[in-house]
Amino acid sequence: LNLPSCDFVIFGTKGDLAKRKLFPSLYRLDKANKLYDNTRIIGVGRADWNKKKYLNIIKEYLKKFMKEKIENFIWTKFSNRLEFCNIDVNNMSDFAQLKKILNDPEKVIINYFAMPPNTFSAICRGLGAFNLNNNMSRIIIEKPLGSSFKTSQIINNQVAKYFQESQIFRIDHYLGKETVLNLLSLRFANSLFSKNWDNNTIDHIQITVAEEVGIEGRWKYFNEFGQMRDMVQNHLLQLLSIIAMEQPINFHADSIRNEKVKVLQSLSLIKDSDINKKTVIGQYTSGYLHGKVIPSYLDENGSNKKSNTETFVSLRVDIDNIRWKGVPFYLRTGKRLPCKCSEIVIFFKKITLNFFSEHLQSLPQNKLIIRLEPNEGLDIQILNKIPSLNLVHVLKSTKLDFCYSKNENFKHLPSAYERLLLECMLGMQSLFVRRDEVEEAWKWVDSIIYTWEKHVKYPELYSAGTWGPLLSNNMIIRDGRFWS
Ligand code: BG6
């Protein structure tokens, strides 16, 4: 790898994202020798911290948010890269101080906007005023990129005034997860799957992203967004587009993103008359999770006790193209479900002529289960004969099981942010979301939210620790299928 010489600027050094994800990931990249020798990490924030104080603070973040211990040798190397710059992003002239630090025209500058989107415009203006948006400069921005098509356009337009699309890296951390990266290899490097990935062989696909956590002190943000905007618009639709896209002509960022965007453009709109058949929204009430009492959504810290925001969504999604005509994708995601568990399950069609039926055996479907979490890996469920002297072939569904953690060569799974920060340093955009992807996803999500506003005023209640409202089961059972 030709690591670039770069400076990494983090706007929002004191924020949660920087503490939990960015500093630990940069530390690990340094440990893996993936930071160029002269790379610096410049924290931007409003504080009169001197260098010593700043280093102490970052060390505390690392101690708190990394599972592994800080190694002295790595810390010495890492801490030499750290600098702090006291800037009020709303005060344009403050950016002069940053300009002083970023004084090497040969270096790539990566500006991570780890701040709310209503600050993006001011940050861009400040960078622009000091020519820090030149072609050596990149920005990383993260959701929420708007709460609708219109508001996302406003954000995209604001940053586009100062940066070209090739300089803008929109993060969706799901795209950096190893198991999601593996979807490309799984689909396009294995003829077993590449030749059996359409409506001839696949019956339906389920994507579940279940979370155990609730709102984690983010009630105000979450209540405005809800699970549809917080999880479906980005993470679940990204998973769906990788599962459903055609093979890109090559690995270039735009080749991959062109294919994903076509899927998003082919998502079938849900008619008003189908909204209750094809969508279910829920909100958790109090319940039990692992023996602990969990308060309801309306009793979470900071709640205003009255809200129709959904904490659970399930959807039947159809894709209007030749490959997927007739193959529904069922999506479900929610907070306070029984476990943190994300998986994509491909259900293959049943054998049309059951050769075993004379022995009264029905044949369950073959399944490919791609586990994003926990126990990252995959299972293939196939039918095998149970060994015996029985003259009748007795069949049993058996798992071919691959689990990353059980395999020496696959044990180390870099975190999503490590991967994404590295790709950005290298200027590679394929794991970042292009403007048209974000906007197409919003258009489709908006159409559903708009229909909910007209026809589905209240979310169904479900107890914390369960798999969402019963209606979500009914939705899939009505189609003759079951959640996996
Ligand atoms: C974030 C959402 O984007 O993803 C959170 O804002 C959610 O609400 C989180 O909990 C889930 O990410 P992961 O990687 O833990 O599945």
Side-chain angles (χ1 to χ4, degrees):
L1 280 184
N2 252 346
L3 291 169
S5 159
C6 76
D7 280 334
F8 214 98
V9 184
I10 300 180
F11 290 90
T13 319
K14 292 194 261 177
D16 238 30
L17 178 64
K19 286 180 196 167
R20 285 173 191 274
K21 303 288 184 194
L22 305 185
F23 285 107
S25 302
L26 287 165
Y27 171 92
R28 290 192 193 112
L29 284 173
D30 206 3
K31 183 172 170 188
N33 292 320
K34 298 282 190 235
L35 297 185
Y36 192 79
D37 287 347
N38 69 356
T39 288
R40 287 175 305 171
I41 300 165
I42 299 128
V44 171
R46 291 176 73 180
D48 56 356
W49 295 339
N50 60 25
K51 176 115 181 178
K52 192 167 165 222
K53 172 123 198 210
Y54 180 56
L55 295 194
N56 282 337
I57 287 171
I58 302 297
K59 200 168 191 182
E60 284 313 307
Y61 291 173
L62 295 180
K63 274 191 199 153
K64 191 158 171 208
F65 295 109
M66 290 199 316
K67 279 193 202 121
E68 69 271 29
K69 280 221 161 96
I70 300 177
E71 291 171 46
N72 284 339
F73 171 68
I74 312 292
W75 170 250
T76 311
K77 178 162 86 143
F78 186 70
S79 58
N80 276 329
R81 303 179 183 281
L82 297 174
E83 294 193 28
F84 182 69
C85 188
N86 179 2
I87 285 188
D88 173 353
V89 294
N90 292 312
N91 198 351
M92 211 162 71
S93 57
D94 279 10
F95 282 77
Q97 297 172 55
L98 190 60
K99 176 76 174 174
K100 256 193 235 154
I101 302 177
L102 303 173
N103 54 6
D104 183 347
E106 304 285 300
K107 266 179 146 180
V108 170
I109 305 170
I110 296 177
N111 300 288
Y112 202 122
F113 294 5
M115 289 179 71
N118 59 9
T119 60
F120 290 1
S121 173
I123 302 176
C124 287
R125 216 178 314 123
L127 291 173
F130 292 89
N131 191 29
L132 291 171
N133 59 338
N134 61 39
N135 59 8
M136 293 305 279
S137 179
R138 298 177 193 149
I139 60 169
I140 305 185
I141 54 180
E142 179 144 4
K143 62 170 268 267
L145 295 177
S147 54
S148 63
F149 170 58
K150 264 207 179 135
T151 48
S152 79
Q153 269 192 318
I154 295 173
I155 296 172
N156 281 326
N157 288 341
Q158 280 168 346
V159 296
K161 267 200 213 154
Y162 296 89
F163 293 91
Q164 307 282 332
E165 184 63 28
S166 60
Q167 297 173 282
I168 303 171
F169 290 67
R170 294 182 193 79
I171 277 209
D172 180 318
H173 75 278
Y174 269 56
L175 296 183
K177 292 184 187 247
E178 259 320 309
T179 41
V180 177
L181 294 167
N182 191 42
L183 292 175
L184 290 186
S185 335
L186 189 73
R187 283 199 55 196
F188 302 121
N190 297 291
S191 65
L192 175 63
F193 299 124
S194 69
K195 302 230 177 296
N196 289 300
W197 207 263
D198 57 22
N199 54 6
N200 289 313
T201 40
I202 294 180
D203 175 69
H204 76 282
I205 293 179
Q206 297 183 9
I207 303 178
T208 297
V209 178
E211 302 188 81
E212 230 177 84
V213 291
I215 303 309
E216 309 292 287
R218 299 185 303 159
W219 210 87
K220 197 165 171 292
Y221 154 79
F222 188 85
N223 198 49
E224 200 190 316
F225 277 72
Q227 196 73 353
M228 184 72 165
R229 294 181 172 102
D230 185 48
M231 294 294 289
V232 178
Q233 187 274 340
N234 37 75
H235 308 322
L236 276 88
L237 287 185
Q238 282 294 325
L239 294 179
L240 180 143
S241 45
I242 299 173
I243 288 287
M245 71 181 182
E246 297 302 311
Q247 178 162 350
I249 49 172
N250 54 35
F251 253 97
H252 293 167
D254 279 335
S255 307
I256 296 178
R257 299 189 297 180
N258 288 345
E259 295 309 329
K260 285 199 293 167
V261 100
K262 283 185 211 158
V263 174
L264 295 168
Q265 287 166 335
S266 313
L267 298 179
S268 173
L269 292 175
I270 298 183
K271 287 195 263 167
D272 286 23
S273 54
D274 281 341
I275 199 77
N276 285 311
K277 252 194 274 161
K278 295 191 173 177
T279 73
V280 175
I281 51 175
Q283 187 187 80
Y284 61 85
T285 58
S286 62
Y288 291 92
L289 243 171
H290 309 305
K292 265 176 65 190
V293 180
I294 302 292
S296 71
Y297 176 67
L298 298 183
D299 288 323
E300 289 272 6
N301 279 344
S303 92
N304 61 15
K305 309 287 174 207
K306 225 175 145 193
S307 162
N308 290 328
T309 297
E310 80 288 352
T311 59
F312 176 95
V313 181
S314 59
L315 302 167
R316 172 189 160 133
V317 183
D318 293 278
I319 300 178
D320 286 335
N321 66 19
I322 292 184
R323 183 185 284 267
W324 296 114
K325 192 98 207 126
V327 180
F329 285 64
Y330 296 96
L331 272 44
R332 102 186 129 152
T333 178
K335 307 265 186 250
R336 292 300 193 202
L337 300 191
C339 56
K340 177 151 182 64
C341 143
S342 307
E343 61 181 29
I344 300 166
V345 186
I346 317 289
F347 287 75
F348 292 91
K349 286 192 167 160
K350 284 192 178 179
I351 297 277
T352 20
L353 189 66
N354 181 0
F355 172 61
F356 299 89
S357 59
E358 65 181 271
H359 301 134
L360 297 175
Q361 295 184 71
S362 69
L363 300 181
Q365 290 162 287
N366 292 142
K367 281 193 235 170
L368 166 65
I369 303 171
I370 302 159
R371 289 190 308 270
L372 311 188
E373 205 152 356
N375 307 322
E376 289 96 328
L378 32 109
D379 289 342
I380 302 178
Q381 287 191 5
I382 53 167
L383 285 162
N384 274 309
K385 175 184 171 301
I386 299 181
S388 79
L389 289 175
N390 194 333
L391 297 184
V392 171
H393 278 229
V394 179
L395 304 178
K396 189 168 171 16
S397 189
T398 333
K399 265 191 204 168
L400 303 179
D401 184 355
F402 162 70
C403 187
Y404 283 80
S405 63
K406 289 188 194 139
N407 187 314
E408 267 315 308
N409 298 320
F410 292 88
K411 261 194 163 151
H412 175 65
L413 294 185
S415 72
Y417 278 89
E418 278 169 69
R419 171 79 191 205
L420 294 171
L421 297 181
L422 178 61
E423 299 247 348
C424 178
M425 282 189 270
L426 294 166
M428 292 161 69
Q429 285 191 303
S430 57
L431 301 183
F432 295 85
V433 186
R434 207 169 55 189
R435 174 172 182 160
D436 51 352
E437 288 181 79
V438 179
E439 296 186 348
E440 287 301 329
W442 271 125
K443 281 188 211 162
W444 187 76
V445 162
D446 277 1
S447 73
I448 296 178
I449 293 179
Y450 178 66
T451 315
W452 282 341
E453 281 164 3
K454 276 194 291 176
H455 300 290
V456 191
K457 304 263 186 265
Y458 308 103
E460 295 291 315
L461 300 179
Y462 64 97
S463 305
T466 65
W467 282 99
L470 273 182
L471 286 182
S472 159
N473 290 344
N474 297 350
M475 179 186 93
I476 190 167
I477 291 173
R478 206 178 297 124
D479 291 350
R481 303 184 173 103
F482 298 91
W483 289 114
S484 79

